[in-house]
Amino acid sequence: MDPHIAQWKLEIERCLSAPEPDYGKMAQIVADISGTSHDEPLRQAALQVLPSLRHAAAKSAGRGTREIARQRLGIVQDALHVLSAPRFGKRSHHQPIRQH
């Protein structure tokens, strides 16, 4: 598992819980995820969301643009949640399945 997942998750939650979300900061976090994450689905989600966040970070961005960016950020949040959730009773990806 990527050691930065918990940190990214916390940073995004902090940005979203602020009275006025900082879309520029969220775009930086998502850009970091897209560039350094070892998990392919998480990287793809980050790449998909990044343009919306960059548009929302502009001073001239409207409320609709920011709402769309916030909704799309949910894709990254979901991917981070899946990666950070405990996997009780599930095999890891590295354990081979033994044939009988």
Side-chain angles (χ1 to χ4, degrees):
M1 181 195 320
D2 198 331
H4 302 293
I5 289 175
Q7 179 186 357
W8 290 329
K9 189 175 177 183
L10 180 64
E11 288 178 4
I12 289 173
E13 288 172 1
R14 282 184 183 160
C15 287
L16 286 175
S17 66
E20 194 62 36
D22 185 357
Y23 290 96
K25 172 78 171 161
M26 286 188 278
Q28 289 174 349
I29 296 166
V30 172
D32 185 38
I33 292 170
S34 69
T36 61
S37 178
H38 300 296
D39 186 69
E40 184 65 26
L42 178 59
R43 268 200 328 264
Q44 291 298 320
L47 287 171
Q48 181 181 1
V49 171
L50 194 54
S52 296
L53 287 173
R54 287 184 175 155
H55 287 290
K59 292 194 185 284
S60 62
R63 195 170 93 184
T65 303
R66 291 185 173 152
E67 184 60 33
I68 288 171
R70 191 179 189 130
Q71 289 174 357
R72 290 188 179 164
L73 186 61
I75 298 168
V76 174
Q77 285 182 298
D78 290 344
L80 287 169
H81 177 72
V82 167
L83 292 172
S84 66
R87 298 175 188 218
F88 298 109
K90 293 191 178 183
R91 297 174 192 257
S92 70
H93 297 286
H94 304 292
Q95 291 179 341
I97 298 174
R98 291 183 282 187
Q99 298 292 327
H100 292 255

